[in-house]
Amino acid sequence: MGVTPIRPGQLAGVPLGRRPAEPIIEIDHVSQVFKTSSRRDHTALSDISLSVEEGAFVSILGPSGCGKSTLLYIVGGFVSPTGGTAKMKGKPITGPGTDRGPVFQEFALFPWKSVLGNVMYGPLQQGIKPSKAEARARALIAMVGLTGFEKFYPKELSGGMKQRVALARTLAYGPEVLLMDEPFGALDAHTRTRLQNDLLEIWERDRKTVLFVTHSVEEAVFLSDKVVMMSRSPGRIREVIDIDLPRPRRREELLLDPRYQKYIVEIERMFDASGDNELPS
Amino acid sequence: MNALLKPLAPVLACCGLLAAWQLASLGLKNDSFPTALDSLRAIPPILTDKESLINILASLRRMAIGFALALSFAIPLGLLMGRSRSMAAFFNPLLMLIYPVPKAALMPIIMLWLGVGDISKTLVIFLGVSLPVIYHSFEGAKAVEEKMLWSGAAMGLSPGERLLRIVLPAALPEILTGCRTGIVLALITMVTSEMIARQSGAGNILFNALDMGQYDTVFAMIIIIGAMGICLDAAFEVIRRWLVRWSEPQFDMPLSFS
Ligand SMILES: Nc1ncnc2c1ncn2[C@@H]1O[C@H](COP(=O)(O)OP(=O)(O)OP(=O)(O)O)[C@@H](O)[C@H]1O
Ligand SMILES: [Mg+2]
């Protein structure tokens, strides 16, 4: 593909589905207490410990309000935890950095920039020559299937298209870790499926570490190596489940695969068993 | 039919107004209320008189300088206030005090300190324009989506760069709304300042004519000043639309002559 590989050959020779177990992100006894207006403190996250291996696709699954976004913001360095530490490659996270690329559910595109301008923004900021930045942006726009929309402003795009631009914009500056917060939450079922397939294809191509927040059990199982199940009040990790399904994954094959079905049923049952029944799928 | 009528509407409104004026003035037969035609006829002599033109240009120059100074001061201040709690806490009470004071009412004091020249008048225009621009810049900066700033931070933008390259463009539609109010206020304070410090300017021509009982000139000047306002506003609106062509239509302002 025309895309400049950001870390060329880095994972060459590693067999699909089995990667070296080197933690890139370590979350160590992290807790987050918010002061609320009703003077009672609210514990959003309580004693979260999690380590994410380099190149792994990890989904965070849990009921609304269990602190999934908060956890992602802490890893992104946008919020600092009230307790514990989060580390990236062994160094404590003290703020945002280009090594961690967020894709927000709200898209957060720059409305005054065209699609091309949005995707070029990161590379230009890194001091890459405009002609090179543009070439990289155009390749990424093509990769997310938006060729022909380079000159469009965000207001002229549909929700699914904005989400693709947001993904391309983050990929453009080459973060080592993608932090995706319910990126497909607001999309219709069809677009959602298509974007899941696209994301998987992109990920299987250059194996970035992904932390992926979702409400959907199916989505989590389909995409991930590992599913982190959280429970609410206070937000804790209930269970971490390894998803041992072959890659590259294809939806048509997985839907017929009893192991895939079993994971979904198992996880849904675990949620039903707990009090946390509020799990919209 | 509608498509034909739309561009003609302002022209028709003007003609209607002039006709009503003409009839009212003919009916009242009052010396201090010249007819529309007499007033219109008094316009060309003003616009061809060198002295008058110098006066009008001086007014416009003061207005432009006052306006430009106000923008270069008010936009950064408003943006900083919108993004920094302590800046807002410090400046808000101050602005709340100044806000309701008619800026022209400060003119006598300013004249006392700075004389009746350009500096005083430009300062009053500056004050008049600054407040709405600060207010709108503040509101615009406050409303900038946090995730947009986070996205910028993740790309490596420093706090200063985020203010200049994310907050400023994101707040631009709101800022320009403030600027448009600012233009009208600049015109108003310009005329009032010249009314108080009579020495030069469009306002000076108007009030001199009034003193001398040349009522057609008075009305002609009112038309000229009004036309200046309409033209400035229309020109600004064209620039504004171009600058925020990317924004959602909620910022479209239907009240416009352009
Ligand atoms: N800035 C804040 N101030 C106070 N409380 C907050 C703040 N941000 C989040 N919370 C609280 O923390 C808890 C977790 O919020 P968070 O947004 O992380 O949940 P979530 O799991 O992402 O939910 P959802 O799936 O609905 O997006 C919620 O109960 C919320 O009320
Ligand atoms: Mg959330």
Side-chain angles (χ1 to χ4, degrees), chain A residues 34 42 44 63-70 182 215:
Chain A
F34 286 113
H42 175 78
S64 189
C66 72
K68 304 182 295 294
S69 298
T70 307
E182 295 185 40
H215 272 300

Side-chain angles (χ1 to χ4, degrees), chain B residues 219-240:
Chain B
F219 279 83
M221 271 319 287
I222 292 174
I223 295 173
I224 290 172
I225 293 170
M228 263 158 49
I230 290 172
C231 291
L232 284 172
D233 183 68
F236 183 79
E237 182 58 11
V238 170
I239 297 170
R240 189 194 70 85

Side-chain angles (χ1 to χ4, degrees), chain A residues 73 98 106 125 155 169, chain B residues 147 151 154-155 165 245 247:
Chain A
Y73 299 159
T98 48
E106 304 89 335
Q125 180 65 26
K155 71 161 178 182
R169 181 179 68 169
Chain B
K147 303 285 154 59
S151 297
M155 292 178 190
R165 293 179 45 201
R245 62 199 180 285
S247 80

Side-chain angles (χ1 to χ4, degrees), chain A residues 32 34-36 42-45 62-71 73 105 181-182 213-215 230 232:
Chain A
Q32 182 69 24
F34 286 113
K35 299 238 177 295
T36 58
H42 175 78
T43 308
L45 292 173
S64 189
C66 72
K68 304 182 295 294
S69 298
T70 307
L71 186 60
Y73 299 159
Q105 185 174 15
D181 191 1
E182 295 185 40
V213 168
T214 177
H215 272 300
M230 290 181 67
R232 191 170 37 176

Side-chain angles (χ1 to χ4, degrees), chain B:
Chain B
M1 180 67 203
N2 228 334
L4 245 165
L5 213 65
K6 220 177 153 200
L8 283 177
V11 180
L12 286 176
C14 282
C15 293
L17 196 67
L18 288 175
W21 174 2
Q22 184 75 13
L23 288 177
S25 148
L26 285 174
L28 285 170
K29 288 207 185 340
N30 189 328
D31 266 356
S32 58
F33 189 23
T35 65
L37 279 178
D38 286 341
S39 305
L40 286 174
R41 238 176 259 135
I43 293 176
I46 299 175
L47 292 183
T48 47
D49 178 44
K50 195 162 164 247
E51 194 65 25
S52 309
L53 276 180
I54 288 173
N55 271 297
I56 292 171
L57 286 178
S59 289
L60 283 173
R61 204 193 63 223
R62 278 193 296 273
M63 189 176 145
I65 294 172
F67 186 73
L69 286 177
L71 295 201
S72 53
F73 162 77
I75 295 174
L77 178 61
L79 293 181
L80 279 172
M81 282 172 63
R83 294 314 310 176
S84 146
R85 221 172 272 268
S86 50
M87 287 287 283
F90 182 78
F91 283 103
N92 243 335
L94 214 68
L95 294 174
M96 279 297 120
L97 273 176
I98 306 173
Y99 195 55
V101 178
K103 304 312 160 278
L106 300 173
M107 194 68 194
I109 309 170
I110 294 173
M111 274 163 58
L112 203 64
W113 292 340
L114 301 173
V116 291
D118 276 4
I119 298 178
S120 298
K121 290 173 194 154
T122 311
L123 183 62
V124 178
I125 296 170
F126 169 85
L127 289 174
V129 176
S130 286
L131 282 152
V133 177
I134 292 175
Y135 173 76
H136 282 277
S137 305
F138 169 70
E139 289 292 327
K142 219 171 48 168
V144 174
E145 210 188 318
E146 193 170 36
K147 303 285 154 59
M148 215 137 85
L149 292 163
W150 287 5
S151 297
M155 292 178 190
L157 272 77
S158 66
E161 286 177 310
R162 292 203 289 273
L163 195 68
L164 195 68
R165 293 179 45 201
I166 294 181
V167 176
L168 176 64
L172 195 63
E174 185 70 36
I175 293 172
L176 292 179
T177 305
C179 292
R180 202 172 160 207
T181 315
I183 285 196
V184 178
L185 280 173
L187 194 77
I188 294 171
T189 39
M190 177 195 92
V191 176
T192 0
S193 72
E194 289 161 357
M195 183 175 111
I196 299 166
R198 297 262 294 273
Q199 180 215 28
S200 87
N204 184 45
I205 305 176
L206 197 160
F207 289 98
N208 277 340
L210 193 66
D211 287 349
M212 292 186 282
Q214 299 164 342
Y215 296 112
D216 50 352
T217 307
V218 171
F219 279 83
M221 271 319 287
I222 292 174
I223 295 173
I224 290 172
I225 293 170
M228 263 158 49
I230 290 172
C231 291
L232 284 172
D233 183 68
F236 183 79
E237 182 58 11
V238 170
I239 297 170
R240 189 194 70 85
R241 280 225 188 116
W242 184 78
L243 282 174
V244 300
R245 62 199 180 285
W246 48 269
S247 80
E248 302 286 347
Q250 78 220 35
F251 289 106
D252 272 2
M253 280 182 282
L255 196 72
S256 162
F257 291 101
S258 62

Side-chain angles (χ1 to χ4, degrees), chain A residues 105-217:
Chain A
Q105 185 174 15
E106 304 89 335
F107 318 128
L109 296 175
F110 303 136
W112 61 94
K113 290 270 176 200
S114 65
V115 169
L116 187 66
N118 266 281
V119 181
M120 275 173 73
Y121 207 96
L124 285 180
Q125 180 65 26
Q126 290 173 322
I128 290 172
K129 271 206 324 231
S131 58
K132 249 186 105 188
E134 184 174 334
R136 180 189 289 189
R138 283 186 186 279
L140 279 164
I141 290 166
M143 188 168 78
V144 297
L146 286 177
T147 306
F149 293 96
E150 288 87 352
K151 291 275 177 296
F152 280 52
Y153 285 108
K155 71 161 178 182
E156 296 159 332
L157 303 176
S158 72
M161 291 159 87
K162 282 183 203 167
Q163 191 61 68
R164 286 158 185 264
V165 178
L167 178 60
R169 181 179 68 169
T170 302
L171 289 172
Y173 56 91
E176 291 168 64
V177 179
L178 283 177
L179 305 170
M180 307 181 75
D181 191 1
E182 295 185 40
F184 309 144
L187 307 178
D188 68 89
H190 179 70
T191 314
R192 188 182 179 124
T193 318
R194 219 176 47 211
L195 283 189
Q196 285 171 0
N197 291 333
D198 292 352
L199 176 64
L200 208 55
E201 201 178 303
I202 292 165
W203 180 80
E204 276 165 355
R205 200 179 298 151
D206 62 33
R207 294 289 168 130
K208 284 178 186 308
T209 310
V210 180
L211 257 183
F212 188 94
V213 168
T214 177
H215 272 300
S216 156
V217 177

